[in-house]
């Protein structure tokens, strides 16, 4: 009877007992985990965290890379990083300003002007962008474009004396002296005794025949 029992069907979880020669009741060892099985949950968590980054967070990461490259004088790497930051978040003005600086350093004025124009289309209330763009436009001989750029941003710069005085100077170059007088006076009303602004005001007063006021 023992022989028949031993030769009958056996539970697949049973195994031979080492050194025994018969069939024991010890459970089979669990196969070891595959390495992929152990790392897949962790990888999924990492990917999830990457996906959860906001556009601004991704932009800040690229900006940090660009700043590091800039400090090491790796200008092309800096440009690429700042461009990536703007692709992630076009409203990240710090990255846009940094990119403009890199482009101007490389004498790529046309590209810098495009970057500034894009910034102003997204956020018109950026007087620094408007002033930089106007300078580039005037430098390339397009005085009218520079004046128009500053005129569009004037409503956002009512308390920015430098912006107003710059606008006045361009108006003067267009021979629009009455408007230049108005803007120079506004700038001086905010921050008086700036020699170059007083000079500009005097020139436009003299141009309109207001000699006593000019003096």
């Amino acid at each position: 009877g023992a022989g028949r029992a031993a030769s009958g069907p056996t539970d697949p979880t049973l195994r031979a007992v080492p050194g025994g020669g018969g069939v024991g009741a010890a459970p089979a060892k669990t196969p070891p985990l595959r390495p992929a099985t152990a790392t897949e949950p962790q990888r999924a968590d990492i990917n999830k965290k990457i996906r959860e980054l906001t556009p601004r967070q991704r932009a800040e990461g690229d900006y940090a890379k660009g700043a590091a490259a800039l400090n090491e004088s790796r200008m092309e790497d800096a440009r690429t990083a700042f461009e990536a930051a703007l692709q992630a978040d076009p409203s990240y003005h710090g990255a846009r300003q940094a990119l403009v600086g890199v482009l101007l350093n490389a004498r790529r004025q046309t590209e810098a002007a495009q970057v500034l124009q894009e910034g102003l289309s997204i956020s018109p209330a950026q007087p620094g962008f408007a002033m930089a763009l106007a300078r580039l436009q005037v430098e390339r001989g397009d005085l009218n474009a520079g004046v128009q750029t500053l005129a569009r941003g004037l409503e956002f710069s009512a308390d920015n004396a430098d912006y107003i005085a710059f606008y006045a100077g361009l108006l003067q170059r267009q021979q629009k002296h009455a408007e230049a007088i108005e803007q120079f006076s506004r700038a001086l009303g905010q921050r008086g005794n700036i020699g170059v602004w007083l000079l500009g005001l005097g020139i436009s007063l003299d141009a309109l025949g207001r000699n006593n006021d000019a003096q």
Side-chain angles (χ1 to χ4, degrees):
R4 286 194 297 271
S7 62
T10 60
D11 188 324
T13 63
L14 301 180
R15 64 176 180 82
V17 178
V23 177
K29 290 184 179 178
T30 304
L33 293 174
R34 293 180 296 108
T37 303
T39 59
E40 281 170 2
Q42 183 179 2
R43 186 179 300 115
D45 289 342
I46 293 172
N47 291 337
K48 183 179 180 182
K49 289 178 181 178
I50 292 173
R51 288 195 299 270
E52 289 175 351
L53 289 178
T54 66
R56 175 50 63 93
Q57 288 171 330
R58 294 198 301 271
E60 288 174 344
D62 288 321
Y63 176 82
K65 294 177 184 177
L70 194 60
N71 288 335
E72 297 173 359
S73 299
R74 293 184 287 109
M75 307 305 288
E76 193 62 23
D77 290 341
R79 181 184 65 81
T80 300
F82 293 142
E83 287 176 345
L86 289 177
Q87 288 176 355
D89 185 357
S91 67
Y92 191 3
H93 302 313
R96 189 172 299 277
Q97 183 177 352
L99 177 58
V100 169
V102 170
L103 291 171
L104 291 177
N105 185 68
R107 302 184 182 279
R108 297 163 71 166
Q109 285 89 346
T110 300
E111 293 177 52
Q114 291 174 346
V115 172
L116 289 166
Q117 286 173 329
E118 291 168 0
L120 287 170
S121 67
I122 295 169
S123 180
Q126 290 294 321
F129 289 171
M131 292 175 73
L133 177 59
R135 286 192 181 94
L136 289 173
Q137 291 168 329
V138 172
E139 286 174 2
R140 74 185 183 198
D142 197 345
L143 177 60
N144 290 336
V147 171
Q148 291 170 6
T149 294
L150 293 180
R152 284 192 295 269
L154 193 61
E155 63 178 299
F156 307 109
S157 305
D159 59 349
N160 189 327
D162 291 305
Y163 187 105
I164 295 168
F166 183 30
Y167 181 46
L170 295 190
L171 289 170
Q172 185 178 83
R173 291 176 63 175
Q174 286 187 320
Q175 306 300 311
K176 295 179 179 179
H177 293 291
E179 295 177 53
I181 289 169
E182 178 185 357
Q183 299 303 327
F184 275 129
S185 298
R186 284 182 61 192
L188 287 164
Q190 293 182 22
R191 202 165 79 231
N193 297 323
I194 304 299
V196 68
W197 301 352
L198 288 166
L199 176 61
L201 176 59
I203 289 171
S204 286
L205 287 167
D206 183 65
L208 294 183
R210 296 170 58 179
N211 297 333
N212 289 336
D213 292 333
Q215 290 176 0

